[in-house]
Amino acid sequence: MLETNKTNKVNMRTIKLAPSILTADFSKLFEEIRAIERGGADLLHLDVMDGQFVPPITFGADIVAAISKITNLPIEVHLMVTNPEQHIESFSQTADKINFHFEASDQISETIDAIHKLGCSAGICINPETPVDMVNNYLEKTEQIMIMTINPGWGGQTMMFEQLNKVKELRKTIDIHKYKTQIEIDGGVKIENIGLCAEAGADTLVCGSSVYNSKDKPESNLAKLRSAIPD
Ligand code: DX5
Ligand code: ZN
């Protein structure tokens, strides 16, 4: 019997798991998504890449809309695109959360406001080379900050562990000011390091290749990941 929807609390925070379909089998996407629903996913993480901000191209708002029809999971889009402000309206039709990159926009505050006006939660993602204090001015008005623990563009990379220091620093800042902003980690999350991610202060963990791989079924992988989070 698979363990699903177990609540793991670390420092009084419930850790959410957000599978990314980047390494899923797209020829059977419906079943791949059903599997993580059975495995107790908290939300679905969709990686949108434009071939400019990052070299690969994945998919756009029409595919996100199609995916939203086959799942009831909340959807967050991770926009790895230049000029994200030009694209948020189309994604807002079907996504619940829109995360864009700090490095991709010179209109951070305006973009957050626009996302809110369109009825979605707003998140800022920061690349490994971006200092975490660059987002301090926006903490009060964003629902989440995503710390990239890999260079964006591909699944299956090894976590850059030093990036967890940014998570710890951000956790302190958020707690001191009692902001509601949540912290998300994206990149290289695995059974072996999921405890460290939780203890560093993350609220949500993106899991790509640790869920969709040839070792086991996605639902089993997801349940094992959840069990590896310390209570
Ligand atoms: C990469 C994406 C990630 C990717 C993570 O740019 O943002 O969401 O799917 O994959 P893993 O978990 O394999 O590092
Ligand atoms: Zn992502």
Side-chain angles (χ1 to χ4, degrees), residues 45 47 78 186:
H45 179 94
D47 290 297
H78 174 189
D186 187 3

Side-chain angles (χ1 to χ4, degrees), residues 20-23 45 47 49 54 78 80 146 148 150-157 186-190 206-210:
S20 155
I21 58 166
L22 198 58
T23 55
H45 179 94
D47 290 297
M49 307 186 191
V54 288
H78 174 189
M80 286 162 273
M146 188 188 294
M148 296 304 299
I150 53 167
N151 283 311
W154 300 270
Q157 301 182 70
D186 187 3
V189 175
K190 296 193 172 9
V206 177
C207 313
S209 56
S210 54

